[in-house]
Amino acid sequence: MINRLVQSAFQTGYLSVESEGLIRQVIAVRGYQTADLSVLEELHQAIYSGKIKREASEFVNFFTMPRP
């Protein structure tokens, strides 16, 4: 699921509030796989560099989550 949400953000250039919320939910229930971490790193870098814009206004750091 995380991979599909991130792919959508790269296709549109935007990370929606809904997609970000779903990513956070998956992380909260530890429903992600190790491969998702590299995808999230790419998303984080794209947001930081301005390649992807966020609808939400507060800063997001997906990497404060616990590791599997």
Side-chain angles (χ1 to χ4, degrees):
M1 174 184 260
I2 287 177
N3 192 32
R4 283 183 278 143
L5 294 169
V6 171
Q7 283 179 353
S8 175
F10 274 100
Q11 289 174 350
T12 62
Y14 288 91
L15 178 63
S16 70
V17 171
E18 294 83 8
S19 291
E20 189 171 325
L22 288 171
I23 290 171
R24 289 176 188 252
Q25 286 178 358
V26 170
I27 291 169
V29 298
R30 294 182 184 233
Y32 58 91
Q33 298 179 2
T34 305
D36 292 327
L37 298 177
S38 62
V39 172
L40 288 173
E41 172 67 29
E42 290 177 38
L43 176 63
H44 180 78
Q45 290 298 324
I47 291 169
Y48 184 76
S49 69
K51 291 180 183 176
I52 293 180
K53 306 291 183 205
R54 293 177 59 243
E55 283 185 342
S57 59
E58 79 280 353
F59 177 75
V60 63
N61 185 353
F62 296 115
F63 298 100
T64 59
M65 66 185 157
R67 301 289 180 177

